[in-house]
Amino acid sequence: MKKLLMVLSVMLLAAAAVFAAQEMSVTWEWLLDDPEVNYHRYQLDGMDENNWTVVPGDVSVYVAEGLDPYKSYTLYLQRSYDGVNWSETAEATAEALLETAELTPVADEPVVVEEPVVEEVAVVEPVEEVVVAEPVDVKKPSESRFTFSMLFSGGVLTPVDYNNQFDPDWNVSAGLAFDFANIITANDNIGFGLRLNLAGDFYASYGTFFDDGFTGFFKDLVNFDNYTYGASASMLLTTDARVGIVDFTLGLGGGYGIVTDSAIAGSVYNQKIKIGENYIYGNWFGEALLGMRFYCGNVFSIGLEGTYRVMIPEYKNNRVDGRIVLGFSF
């Protein structure tokens, strides 16, 4: 929640009072020193919650007519960004212009009728008084940076043996992620959130796509008989660092994955699960994510992400994923 320290001034201008009319008018003015203020509200001689008069933020004057020149009047003033949260109260008092004469008791005496005397009416010159209120804090509504994104990805994966020897056996992977960024923010650039990853894996059942050479790669790629299918779901705690249009993401978490072919499972999964007459193979895993996306406006983004999975509990037969990511943020 941000707080703005604002200096609020109230200027009291007491206009001329005519003794014959027994009335005066008072003008209160205040400074417009914060362009983000959208509302002012004021009340004369009281702070009843139901008696405030609310005016737009660009109004800086209030004139009260027909006031009693023998009385003092106090104006109470508050201001707000959103019309809900109001500042502390500034006040300015217009002192009485005339003093009430003391009345002396008179004994019963004969009434003497005198000729009426016409007196000249005296006009009081305007008196200007400036009252400066103490600085007040106004609560400004907090701005949430929470962002929900749907991320579509596609790329390749390869198993890594327990000695972390990198002997690529490339397979195809596609995924859909639901990203909840900046649930908690540390500052204007860094936030913490959650990521739900759903992935579909397509393992080449008969060797890698490049076994038939580069020209056979595209033919093998679209032949679905070459694949064994798998799926996985994981939940990660994420940290996002936004610098301009670039968003860097780091995530840690875990999940569970399955595959339908025992030969493929032998290199990645080691839990055998019977479903009816058939078997599937699965494993729990820990997962680390590192990614970078470029925002094209406030909605669309494109980037690269890589994940490393550590199979639990044996901590071997791990895998590496690399994907191109298309994001849509709301």
Side-chain angles (χ1 to χ4, degrees), residues 1-329:
M1 181 74 68
K2 297 182 179 178
K3 290 186 177 180
L4 297 182
L5 186 61
M6 300 179 293
V7 177
L8 173 64
S9 297
V10 180
M11 183 176 69
L12 168 64
L13 177 63
V18 182
F19 291 108
Q22 297 293 302
E23 293 182 351
M24 73 173 178
S25 64
V26 180
T27 300
W28 282 269
E29 295 185 8
W30 50 89
L31 297 179
L32 300 178
D33 59 345
D34 188 342
E36 295 187 24
V37 170
N38 292 315
Y39 304 96
H40 291 98
R41 68 178 185 180
Y42 54 78
Q43 189 174 153
L44 195 60
D45 287 341
M47 295 182 64
D48 188 336
E49 188 62 30
N50 298 319
N51 288 335
W52 290 103
T53 299
V54 180
V55 296
D58 57 355
V59 174
S60 63
V61 63
Y62 168 63
V63 179
E65 302 282 354
L67 301 180
D68 187 347
Y70 293 99
K71 293 178 58 178
S72 298
Y73 295 89
T74 300
L75 184 75
Y76 299 90
L77 177 71
Q78 298 177 353
R79 59 183 178 177
S80 172
Y81 291 112
D82 55 9
V84 177
N85 300 297
W86 294 92
S87 71
E88 296 180 6
T89 305
E91 60 183 73
T93 300
E95 301 295 340
L97 289 180
L98 303 179
E99 296 182 358
T100 304
E102 294 184 0
L103 300 179
T104 303
V106 179
D108 294 338
E109 294 181 358
V111 177
V112 178
V113 179
E114 298 180 354
E115 294 293 328
V117 179
V118 178
E119 296 182 356
E120 183 179 353
V121 177
V123 178
V124 180
E125 294 295 327
V127 178
E128 183 175 295
E129 179 184 355
V130 177
V131 180
V132 180
E134 293 296 325
V136 297
D137 291 336
V138 178
K139 294 182 179 180
K140 187 173 182 179
S142 62
E143 297 179 358
S144 173
R145 294 194 293 111
F146 171 78
T147 303
F148 169 71
S149 301
M150 294 182 63
L151 307 176
F152 301 89
S153 61
V156 294
L157 68 91
T158 183
V160 179
D161 70 17
Y162 64 94
N163 291 319
N164 286 324
Q165 296 177 355
F166 189 68
D167 184 14
D169 184 14
W170 298 111
N171 302 279
V172 179
S173 179
L176 170 64
F178 301 96
D179 188 71
F180 305 86
N182 298 315
I183 297 175
I184 300 174
T185 55
N187 53 40
D188 291 339
N189 301 101
I190 298 177
F192 303 94
L194 294 173
R195 169 82 70 89
L196 173 62
N197 280 331
L198 304 176
D201 305 323
F202 308 92
Y203 295 92
S205 300
Y206 305 106
T208 67
F209 292 116
F210 290 103
D211 285 350
D212 296 331
F214 186 79
T215 57
F217 169 79
F218 296 101
K219 178 180 179 181
D220 293 338
L221 183 66
V222 298
N223 185 355
F224 290 99
D225 292 335
N226 287 342
Y227 294 102
T228 291
Y229 306 105
S232 63
S234 60
M235 179 67 75
L236 299 98
L237 298 174
T238 60
T239 300
D240 286 272
R242 181 77 178 266
V243 181
I245 64 171
V246 183
D247 184 81
F248 298 92
T249 302
L250 175 66
L252 292 174
Y256 194 83
I258 60 172
V259 70
T260 59
D261 183 84
S262 60
I264 298 298
S267 63
V268 181
Y269 302 103
N270 54 39
Q271 295 180 1
K272 189 175 182 181
I273 305 168
K274 185 175 182 180
I275 300 179
E277 299 296 327
N278 300 313
Y279 290 91
I280 61 172
Y281 305 84
N283 219 101
W284 293 99
F285 59 82
E287 186 171 66
L289 165 73
L290 179 63
M292 177 178 65
R293 286 186 288 146
F294 295 87
Y295 274 84
C296 305
N298 295 324
V299 176
F300 180 72
S301 60
I302 185 171
L304 298 173
E305 289 187 351
T307 60
Y308 190 88
R309 292 185 179 180
V310 178
M311 296 302 168
I312 301 172
E314 296 185 6
Y315 307 106
K316 67 178 183 178
N317 297 332
N318 307 322
R319 67 178 246 186
V320 176
D321 291 66
R323 299 177 184 173
I324 298 174
V325 179
L326 302 179
F328 297 88
S329 301

